Amino acid sequence: HSIWNGTFEEHPPFDVPEANGSFLPGALGGFYMFLTMIILLQVLIPISLYVSIELVKLGQVFFLNNDLDLYDEETDLSIQCRALNITEDLGQIQYIFSDKTGTLTENKMVFRRCTIMGSEYSHQEN
């Protein structure tokens, strides 16, 4: 960055001066540009890493499908993994709360009240 900025005869329009009107020395500007690029490019992950992670997930799903401990003899079925990210979620499950869709909770929507231009309309039971 310092060497490239030195090739210009006068300061280029993208080189912003400081508040007092002076410009940064070339070495300091290069150092700032280096730090800026580290901050901007730290989020880039190589595509080969994504591919290798997906291949590892595929291998984990293969081992899950062929695990004899996950085979149910009564139904003659083994586990079915339909997503590659299932292995990421397995270690995070602590509790499972289940009801049979409405047995414990009444899934009813009841109109309580509403106000339209200052007039309140409420349900008969309220």
Side-chain angles (χ1 to χ4, degrees):
H1 178 76
S2 308
I3 295 170
W4 180 67
N5 264 352
T7 60
F8 294 102
E9 294 179 9
E10 58 183 48
H11 288 286
F14 56 82
D15 198 6
V16 180
E18 293 189 30
N20 60 5
S22 65
F23 291 91
L24 288 176
L28 186 60
F31 179 70
Y32 285 163
M33 182 59 65
F34 176 73
L35 291 179
T36 301
M37 289 298 113
I38 286 178
I39 291 170
L40 288 176
L41 300 177
Q42 73 179 346
V43 296
L44 293 179
I45 299 173
I47 191 72
S48 60
L49 182 61
Y50 280 119
V51 171
S52 59
I53 287 175
E54 291 299 317
L55 288 175
V56 167
K57 289 180 185 178
L58 194 63
Q60 290 173 338
V61 166
F62 172 76
F63 286 126
L64 275 174
N65 284 335
N66 295 322
D67 192 358
L68 293 177
D69 291 333
L70 298 175
Y71 176 74
D72 187 20
E73 294 176 356
E74 293 178 8
T75 59
D76 193 30
L77 293 174
S78 64
I79 190 170
Q80 294 180 357
C81 294
R82 295 192 175 111
L84 290 179
N85 61 354
I86 190 73
T87 58
E88 298 169 2
D89 299 332
L90 283 178
Q92 298 178 8
I93 298 171
Q94 291 182 352
Y95 305 103
I96 296 176
F97 296 104
S98 176
D99 70 341
K100 293 190 279 183
T101 313
T103 304
L104 297 176
T105 58
E106 290 185 50
N107 297 329
K108 287 182 9 182
M109 293 182 67
V110 178
F111 174 73
R112 302 227 178 219
R113 67 173 179 239
C114 73
T115 304
I116 300 174
M117 296 183 65
S119 300
E120 183 172 326
Y121 302 95
S122 61
H123 190 260
Q124 306 289 340
E125 297 173 5
N126 293 335

